[in-house]
Amino acid sequence: MFLVFLFISISSLPLVFGYERLNSKATKLLASQYPPENFLDIQDLNGLLAPILKPRVPGSRGSEEVRQHFASFFGSLPSNGWTIEYDEFTEDTPIAKNVSFTNVIVTRDPPHTTPGNVGRVVLAAHYDSKYEPEGFIGAIDSAVPCALTMYTAQVLDEYLTQKWAVSSNNSSGVQIIFFDGEEAYKEWTDTDSLYGARHLADKMETEVKYSVDSSRRTDLQSIDVLILLDLLGHSTSSIHSYFRETDWMHKRMATIEERIRRLKLSKFGSEDSQKQTTFFPRPPIYSLGGQIGDDHLPFLQRGVPVLHLIPLPFPNIWHTLDDDGAHLDPATVHDWALIIALFMAEYFELGSVVGGSSVKEYL
């Protein structure tokens, strides 16, 4: 990611729809059933995070091994309802011609729905690591974000199955995208960066996949919102609200963060020992929404609403060899896992299947 300039006009009118806030009982049940530390231990080679903590430059053996990790994980989920697609292509880079890139797209739509008539919430992160310096791991950039999306899928899998067994009418689907080639090979430019995101956004926009009778004829039209995770896992993670259209999501995540700390589910401990007041500072800074170069840009340029979960300023280990597992903050990783999983559970209104009642709100 990098700072670039982009001017986008986004409507200031809020979306209006239902959103169910999990109560304290349901929040505790989710956290106890899926303890993040059981899935995100950097020493657990059978976990979600450790297998990604390796150099994974596009086209390398490490990159292939990480894709195998993704495939194995989603193929093992009990619902057996996730489809995996690979968007493979080659492109010239400043260091070599015909470099191989592979985006990984994982989708689960409600049963008994017609493709082309279902909106999707997209969780996304890039999985490639930098070409230089040699041996760069990229733990926050972006092994942890990838693992967080997998943890969220683990949580959603059972709960969505239970909800959709009763009714899948008017439900959204969920899609997880692992972008390849986010990093620049030499110097960040429009052509030396975002290889995977640029290719996939163009493909999703131009490839008509669904019938003329469908309400959403392309995969791009099926995206209701793109939630992009990047540079997460360091103890300093101030995530600002960059876009007016998704500011309500930023507020909801801030509320969830406050709730898990109040319920003592946070790994930061008591209030007076927290390393920072909040991950979600207010007020919003919409003026920076198009100035952070990252995988959301090709989608933003095509009108897709974006929630960009990236800290400003960038953590001091960014693009250094210190960006490895040893420099992650386990408490931060733990809390991010809960926040994102709880937000998605609330977005999909899963309170009744998580346990306990939920509170209906209209936004």
Side-chain angles (χ1 to χ4, degrees), residues 116-137:
N117 291 307
V118 179
R120 294 169 181 150
V121 181
V122 176
L123 285 178
H126 76 88
Y127 74 96
D128 61 304
S129 60
K130 277 180 62 62
Y131 180 73
E132 296 175 335
E134 185 177 355
F136 179 80
I137 297 294

Side-chain angles (χ1 to χ4, degrees), residues 114-119 210-218 221-222:
T114 305
N117 291 307
V118 179
Y210 309 114
S211 72
V212 68
D213 297 327
S214 300
S215 60
R216 305 166 187 254
R217 298 195 64 197
T218 68
Q221 293 173 348
S222 295

